């Protein structure tokens, strides 16, 4: 493996191999002796965190994954404001310099779609795309998929309710696209019409024969689903906030009553008020574990790149 | 030991044990061979510096303490502006995610009083409060106490002059409170009436039988004291700057003449003009050593948490 | 070696020794086994990156150099805004505290000329000046010289064209000054009159007997040179942008035709449009390698300080 730019670059067997390795690293980290051994695995190698916009959660996860292997992360958390970018340097030039510095992996977060591919096009150092504007964020898509896989042992033949601002939400779009590569999935998109999933995604779902429906009735979608993938819907951005149904798509005690006992509730976080904190104690709530899954998945990717 | 939220959680024997260990680490760090050995003590463990507001001095001290043990610090220096907090995420959610990442210690600096306790209430990972608004900053209080203890070998029966903006100064308030737990201390609070020490502290002093007085006469307070604890008094925040006595509570050559030879001068730093730089060369000036004491105290806390 | 404040502190044999060591570290880093060995060389030592203004490229290079030796870098990337400096603390006080923390090296970037010397005057910890306002940036000057030396094996008897905003450009001024210490160099300064090299530099060149000329004709200067050292000329800062010659001092395909085959093209980066990206593929373009040379040079300096 070299650059990690898009979840689309992985076939299903590669994805499952990543999951196996991620779980193996999880087990090793849980064991004090093995954890200490891991910490010498890539001693002497260095990660560069090149974040043009802050994304503290994502950055800390990548850097923790690196440190778990004994790699020292070297970091800039707001390169857009702080670095030569503010003097007009292109991402290509920046990456060429980092290549000369001899980093082993560059994790790149950028505000412009396509910037990760631009960076990779001039980089011998492996680039991991940690989000490029409205583009891709492949490790997020993979950790979402892994969370589902850990529960159900499969990524096909699932009923999935995806809710929130689907027009703008990168994670919701990526998950729908990923699930379209597997057979027999059925997706319920829960949003108001103006924030429904994009036509481009619907075209892909139709082409792949993936069933889907669009609805404004959250409870109806939850009643018969295995995976709830919830995202923020920013009330203040709506032209007409009154268009929101009562309760505004908030997963709460009432929603828990409707939801099957075997389902899981996911969220890419941060959440604001679209999942009531009292839901956290319910065993179906898996959003914090979901974030944790990203750590091991990033370790698995680092390992595939470096070994 | 688990969370470190308040200096009030330690009894006097625990505090003295910390001092002993801090001094032991100081000796080890001073010896090149032992220093190198220390650097493998907690290899494979990681500190998360979660600073919602910048406090470079404090953060560097914690991170240096971690690095002295071979722990890689992973850091955000302005989480309030940079992180999901700006999207409305609660501190509890942020900490739950960091728990999933498996950090060994989280050092939290936050602008809101009570946030460290909030964080600890949901955290299996040990939280060290590195200052929560106007609340607590226990490692500062401990390093202040350690500085006194290193000089006098005790925290009781001391004459202490505490000066500056005592109404708003967290460090001055904490020190007064800590000293009220020991017998026979006498405190002189030096400030103008509008910035004198809070009534809540005076109640605690009276309840504990700790003697104190309030004065605007700095020279009078310095004449008969063993510890001078000086803090900033921000002239520009005063309603009536002319209310300040001449010299404005500045420790200078004249103050040094008045001060007993065996006294020490402390300051939590940064200082601006309330201690004249010519005082630095006087052996009684201990404010830089005081800052250094914090390093070893933080190492001692890390060690108690991790061992 | 202790503090590194100015390139003027090194004589020519010390400079060549640094080059030899830098190249030795380059070779060691290129070999996986030796690279891993290097990473334990200074384990247990720590670098403090104290940047009062952001300079991401420079900071990452120093921190990568430290990490190559197993040193954990502890970093603040915008101390001016984030630290006690905003409360009025002097650089001397900050450095005295960092001395107490026991860092092994402090790399200081500051917006005020002379601040590195101020810092060094109170510091037992070695200070490396990573740029102090319009003052010095000795590791940049050394890496520039090293880039020339790697190509030509000497720093004397060279024909060098230096172009861009020479009035304000620190790197161009430093290079001219450094080359004045060697015999037989000839410098062509290419700029418009209002941005030509300062009179202070011209005085030094005359005193040392170094030949030079000032010109607005880039092509003429390139025709007969061995080293092209190009820098930014910020069009938007000019009183009269039309005063720029056609092409505005941009190194492009036409310039490559004029330039001798054996020459090298250097630039301190970031570049904007003063070197056309199509030049990058030409073997004479050495600006990215030049940046990379800085990594090994900083390793060599660290090693001389720490060994």
């Amino acid at each position: 493996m070299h650059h990690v730019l898009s979840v689309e670059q992985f076939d299903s067997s590669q994805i499952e191999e990543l999951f196996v390795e991620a779980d193996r690293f999880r087990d090793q980290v849980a064991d004090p002796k093995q954890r200490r051994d891991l910490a010498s695995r890539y001693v002497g190698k260095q990660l560069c965190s090149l974040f043009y916009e802050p994304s503290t959660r994502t950055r800390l996860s990548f850097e923790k994954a690196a440190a778990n292997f004994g790699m020292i992360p070297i970091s800039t958390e707001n390169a857009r404001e702080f670095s030569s970018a503010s003097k007009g340097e292109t991402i290509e030039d920046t990456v060429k310099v980092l290549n000369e510095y001899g980093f082993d992996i560059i994790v790149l977060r950028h505000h412009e779609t396509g910037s990760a591919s631009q960076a990779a096009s001039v980089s011998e150092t492996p680039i991991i795309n940690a989000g490029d504007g409205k583009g891709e964020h492949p490790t997020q898509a993979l950790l979402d998929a892994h969370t589902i896989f850990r529960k159900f042992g499969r990524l096909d033949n699932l009923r999935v309710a995806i809710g929130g601002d689907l027009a703008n939400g990168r994670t919701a779009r990526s998950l729908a696209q990923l699930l379209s590569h597997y057979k027999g999935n059925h997706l319920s998109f829960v949003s108001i019409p103006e924030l429904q999933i994009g036509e481009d995604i619907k075209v892909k779902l139709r082409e792949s024969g993936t069933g889907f429906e669009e609805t404004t009735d959250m409870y109806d979608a939850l009643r018969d689903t295995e995976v709830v993938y919830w995202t923020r819907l920013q009330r203040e951005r709506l032209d007409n906030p009154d268009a929101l149904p009562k309760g505004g798509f908030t997963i709460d005690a009432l929603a828990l009553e409707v939801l099957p006992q075997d389902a899981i509730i996911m969220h890419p976080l941060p959440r604001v008020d679209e999942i009531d904190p009292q839901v956290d104690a319910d065993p179906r709530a898996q959003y914090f574990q979901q974030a944790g899954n990203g750590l091991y998945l990033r370790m698995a990717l680092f390992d595939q790149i470096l070994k």
Side-chain angles (χ1 to χ4, degrees), chain A:
Chain A
M1 190 174 320
H2 199 63
H3 303 305
V4 177
L5 301 178
S6 163
V7 71
E8 299 285 308
Q9 79 188 62
F10 300 95
D11 66 27
S12 61
S13 75
Q14 288 170 319
I15 287 176
E16 290 196 19
E17 189 189 333
L18 275 173
F19 293 168
V20 169
E21 295 201 4
D23 285 333
R24 186 164 53 87
F25 286 125
R26 181 196 313 267
D27 292 343
Q28 291 181 13
V29 166
D31 175 74
K33 158 111 185 45
Q34 290 186 71
R35 181 174 169 197
R36 187 155 177 138
D37 289 346
L38 272 183
S40 66
R41 189 179 184 97
Y42 293 121
V43 160
K45 297 195 181 294
Q46 293 89 22
L47 174 75
C48 181
S49 286
L50 183 64
F51 277 57
Y52 281 80
E53 60 179 12
S55 177
T56 304
R57 177 194 311 288
T58 300
R59 187 173 59 80
L60 294 182
S61 173
F62 272 111
E63 296 186 1
K64 179 64 164 71
N68 278 355
F69 284 136
M71 298 171 75
I72 294 177
I74 293 178
S75 185
T76 182
E77 67 177 324
N78 200 358
R80 185 185 193 171
E81 182 184 333
F82 284 173
S83 79
S84 298
S86 65
K87 298 177 189 156
E89 184 173 64
T90 63
I91 179 74
E92 286 90 342
D93 274 17
T94 301
V95 164
K96 280 179 186 174
V97 170
L98 296 179
N99 269 254
E100 295 289 334
Y101 289 174
F103 287 103
D104 297 278
I105 295 178
I106 297 168
V107 171
L108 174 67
R109 170 82 164 211
H110 202 282
H111 46 283
E112 283 173 18
T113 309
S115 53
S117 299
Q118 273 176 268
S121 73
V122 298
S123 184
E124 288 181 38
T125 306
I127 303 273
I128 298 181
N129 181 3
D132 61 332
K134 296 198 167 188
E136 297 255 359
H137 187 358
T139 59
Q140 178 71 45
L142 289 167
L143 77 86
D144 288 343
H146 193 193
T147 303
I148 296 172
F149 192 86
R150 279 173 57 82
K151 168 71 179 185
F152 297 102
R154 65 178 199 276
L155 292 175
D156 54 21
N157 294 297
L158 291 162
R159 279 161 293 123
V160 181
I162 301 179
D165 177 353
L166 308 178
N168 301 301
R170 181 174 56 191
T171 56
R173 290 170 47 85
S174 290
L175 181 63
Q177 194 170 340
L178 183 72
L179 290 173
S180 77
H181 299 326
Y182 293 85
K183 289 199 174 147
N185 289 319
H186 183 89
L187 313 183
S188 293
F189 296 111
V190 184
S191 195
I192 53 174
E194 65 186 285
L195 295 179
Q196 263 297 359
I197 195 85
E199 190 57 33
D200 57 335
I201 297 292
K202 287 191 267 186
V203 166
K204 289 187 181 174
L205 294 173
R206 282 186 205 107
E207 286 174 0
S208 65
T210 305
F212 71 91
E213 71 209 0
E214 298 167 80
T215 176
T216 57
D217 187 337
M218 176 178 84
Y219 295 104
D220 192 49
L222 297 186
R223 195 161 284 127
D224 180 38
T225 194
E226 291 165 297
V227 175
V228 178
Y229 193 93
W230 228 237
T231 65
R232 278 195 302 158
L233 188 154
Q234 293 171 278
R235 194 177 288 264
E236 64 279 15
R237 291 210 188 148
L238 293 181
D239 291 338
N240 174 18
D242 296 337
L244 277 182
K246 246 195 156 26
F249 301 131
T250 295
I251 308 275
D252 55 11
L254 196 59
L256 287 180
E257 280 180 32
V258 167
L259 187 70
Q261 282 307 314
D262 202 43
I264 58 173
I265 306 169
M266 297 171 63
H267 191 295
L269 303 179
R271 57 111 176 245
V272 184
D273 51 15
E274 64 277 4
I275 299 183
D276 190 301
Q278 68 181 334
V279 172
D280 299 2
D282 191 288
R284 290 168 288 185
Q286 291 292 309
Y287 25 91
F288 293 115
Q289 293 88 332
Q290 177 187 355
N293 291 338
L295 177 76
Y296 305 106
L297 197 115
R298 284 157 185 147
M299 290 180 73
L301 282 172
F302 285 169
D303 192 57
Q304 290 215 355
I305 290 169
L306 296 174
K307 76 182 175 189

